[in-house]
Amino acid sequence: MKASPNYRHAVYAGSFDPVTYGHTAIIERAARLYDRVTVAIGVNPAKTSLFTPEERLTMLRDALAGCDNVDVESFSGLLINYCRGLGAGVLVRGLRLLTDFEYEFQLGLANRDLEPDIETVFMFTESEHVYISSSLVKEIAMNGGDYSRYVPPGVLKALRSKYPQP
Ligand code: COA
């Protein structure tokens, strides 16, 4: 008989290239709801990223050092297979704008079709993080703007070494 997944264990996946305060706020809230939260860095060799998976892992672990029930890992392949392997029963996704909805709806339905026992749970992003994305932060960094309020200190340091300011 198929074992039931653990509905007290949630997975929050993303590219995190790099992690922002928008992500950490969702993770911290999920950590209050679930016994265990696994933050999963999706490694897609076909996608160009600024930071290596190892660098992203280090930045996430550093940013989440105070969250005892949160661990950080990376995965490749289908997210739902990764969740199955962990035995996690919940996929947490953050919703920022209405424009996120269509994509999230499609992804949520596809994942449900692949594995009906794993539930996708959506959390609204805080209003102050609604427009932040990793690409936006990188664009501001690349062009010498101030992005310090969007990212944890370790990310700020890493971005400053990639894009030194005059
Ligand atoms: N705060 C700030 N930014 C946020 C955010 C939040 N709460 N939530 C999402 N974002 C940003 C992300 O940083 C990302 O920005 P970017 O496009 O500038 O990099 C953007 O919104 C999209 O986020 P997300 O939808 O989580 O995409 P992602 O690229 O970060 O991660 C995976 C996507 C890895 C979760 C997804 O591709 C995946 O599951 N891959 C595995 C293959 C698979 O199973 N596919 C599905 C088949 S049904």
Side-chain angles (χ1 to χ4, degrees):
M1 204 175 78
K2 194 173 152 195
S4 189
N6 180 359
Y7 292 107
R8 304 298 316 144
H9 182 183
V11 169
Y12 180 65
S15 299
F16 306 111
D17 186 43
V19 59
T20 69
Y21 280 137
H23 299 121
T24 56
I26 297 272
I27 298 163
E28 283 162 11
R29 284 162 59 203
R32 290 202 293 262
L33 292 175
Y34 298 97
D35 293 342
R36 183 178 165 201
V37 176
T38 299
V39 178
I41 305 168
V43 179
N44 180 355
K47 202 173 161 182
T48 315
S49 51
L50 178 65
F51 294 103
T52 65
E54 294 72 27
E55 288 173 321
R56 288 181 264 159
L57 193 89
T58 303
M59 286 187 280
L60 270 161
R61 284 194 177 144
D62 183 50
L64 300 166
C67 303
D68 293 339
N69 58 340
V70 176
D71 52 338
V72 187
E73 295 184 354
S74 54
F75 76 100
S76 54
L78 284 180
L79 175 59
I80 212 77
N81 286 345
Y82 170 75
C83 290
R84 245 192 225 132
L86 281 180
V90 178
L91 257 174
V92 167
R93 301 288 299 166
L95 272 184
R96 290 166 303 164
L97 304 161
L98 205 57
T99 45
D100 281 349
F101 183 76
E102 207 168 326
Y103 168 71
E104 291 297 339
F105 190 54
Q106 184 189 30
L107 196 69
L109 288 179
N111 280 331
R112 190 173 176 74
D113 192 48
L114 291 168
E115 178 49 82
D117 284 348
I118 296 178
E119 292 291 346
T120 299
V121 170
F122 295 102
M123 292 177 78
F124 288 117
T125 305
E126 300 66 20
S127 52
E128 69 263 37
H129 298 134
V130 109
Y131 58 90
I132 306 177
S133 73
S134 302
S135 302
L136 189 93
V137 166
K138 285 183 281 194
E139 198 175 321
I140 298 172
M142 217 182 293
N143 291 291
D146 178 13
Y147 53 94
S148 56
R149 63 192 175 282
Y150 304 137
V151 294
V155 176
L156 187 65
K157 204 170 149 214
L159 278 170
R160 281 192 176 148
S161 71
K162 297 254 186 212
Y163 305 113
Q165 287 187 343

